Amino acid sequence: MQHKHSFVDRIEETLIAILLGLMTVITFANVIARFGFNSNILWALELTVFLFGWLVLLGASYAVKKHSHLGVDAILNMVSPAVARVLGLISVAACLLFAVFMVKGAYDYWAVFADLPPTTGRWFPTGFAEKFRSQSFYEVQDVPMVGFLRFLEDLINYGDEYEKLPKVVPYLVLPVSMALLLFRFIQAGLQIWRGETDRLVASHEVEDEIEEVRALQGEHD
């Protein structure tokens, strides 16, 4: 099981690293183009924004998995383990409710760009809309269409060609990341229920770094 978790961790960490690396390379290339060749990569800024969005949204669910989101655990440290566990479960329940809302909202926003029906219901999905206005022909402003995605023209755009990248592609991260966030909160809730932890936030990187600095200072003294 540990090897499986490590493998999944490597996939997520590699994807996050690739996104960060692409942002750096594209931004650096655009700077060189501007100051070195008095030119400009037209699509660089927009693509960097999309990559940053993917990085943040996918990183949010990964941070839940690693218990590394910012949080306040002063009250949890003052109460008994049993009470801390109950408070942890209440926190997870609130986060799960939030994640469900986000999954519905994210899917409904993305679905029309994919020529798919959004869900019905104001707060929770009660079905799929029978009539909706497809926005699959919507394109981004600057990022050009790439060849390996041309199948989308027949799949969702009724054979019409895309000049720019269709919005369905960069916005796919919305439902995917929110579904992952919901899944990670479920995992965190199960960990608290099984007694493996008593809180959503179990990371204390700042405190650990302070202790390391103090230890190094002690060695030098």
Side-chain angles (χ1 to χ4, degrees):
M1 184 66 69
Q2 185 176 0
H3 293 294
K4 180 180 178 181
H5 284 221
S6 299
F7 177 72
V8 174
D9 286 352
R10 285 197 295 271
I11 292 177
E12 291 179 301
E13 290 167 0
T14 300
L15 178 58
I16 291 172
I18 289 174
L19 292 171
L20 185 59
L22 286 174
M23 288 173 55
T24 304
V25 170
I26 293 171
T27 302
F28 178 75
N30 200 29
V31 170
I32 295 298
R34 284 186 177 183
F35 294 96
F37 300 95
N38 195 27
S39 183
N40 180 41
I41 303 176
L42 181 63
W43 46 264
L45 178 58
E46 185 179 39
L47 182 57
T48 302
V49 171
F50 287 143
L51 291 173
F52 182 73
W54 277 66
L55 177 68
V56 170
L57 292 171
L58 293 175
S61 61
Y62 181 73
V64 172
K65 177 182 179 180
K66 292 297 184 180
H67 300 278
S68 55
H69 275 289
L70 294 176
V72 179
D73 55 6
I75 295 179
L76 293 178
N77 294 332
M78 295 170 57
V79 300
S80 65
V83 175
R85 183 186 177 198
V86 172
L87 293 176
L89 290 173
I90 293 174
S91 299
V92 168
C95 290
L96 286 172
L97 183 61
F98 166 79
V100 169
F101 290 154
M102 293 301 293
V103 169
K104 172 178 167 51
Y107 171 81
D108 289 346
Y109 184 81
W110 171 80
V112 292
F113 295 114
D115 197 35
L116 294 173
T119 62
T120 55
R122 182 173 183 180
W123 301 106
F124 300 98
T126 58
F128 292 96
E130 295 182 1
K131 296 181 179 180
F132 67 97
R133 181 176 180 271
S134 175
Q135 298 180 15
S136 60
F137 58 91
Y138 278 33
E139 301 173 335
V140 301
Q141 292 184 357
D142 299 318
V143 181
M145 182 60 172
V146 289
F148 72 92
L149 292 176
R150 289 291 178 187
F151 71 93
L152 292 174
E153 295 170 346
D154 292 326
L155 183 64
I156 64 174
N157 204 35
Y158 306 96
D160 291 340
E161 291 187 358
Y162 288 114
E163 180 182 351
K164 305 295 184 181
L165 191 70
K167 287 188 174 182
V168 65
V169 176
Y171 291 177
L172 175 62
V173 72
L174 295 173
V176 170
S177 63
M178 292 304 103
L180 279 174
L181 189 65
L182 176 61
F183 176 67
R184 295 308 185 195
F185 279 134
I186 292 174
Q187 284 186 319
L190 291 175
Q191 289 176 349
I192 296 175
W193 180 263
R194 292 193 295 257
E196 298 174 4
T197 183
D198 60 359
R199 64 197 69 193
L200 279 173
V201 179
S203 176
H204 297 275
E205 295 180 2
V206 175
E207 290 89 338
D208 294 340
E209 291 178 359
I210 292 176
E211 291 300 325
E212 290 179 4
V213 171
R214 288 175 177 173
L216 290 174
Q217 289 178 344
E219 292 178 0
H220 291 303
D221 294 340

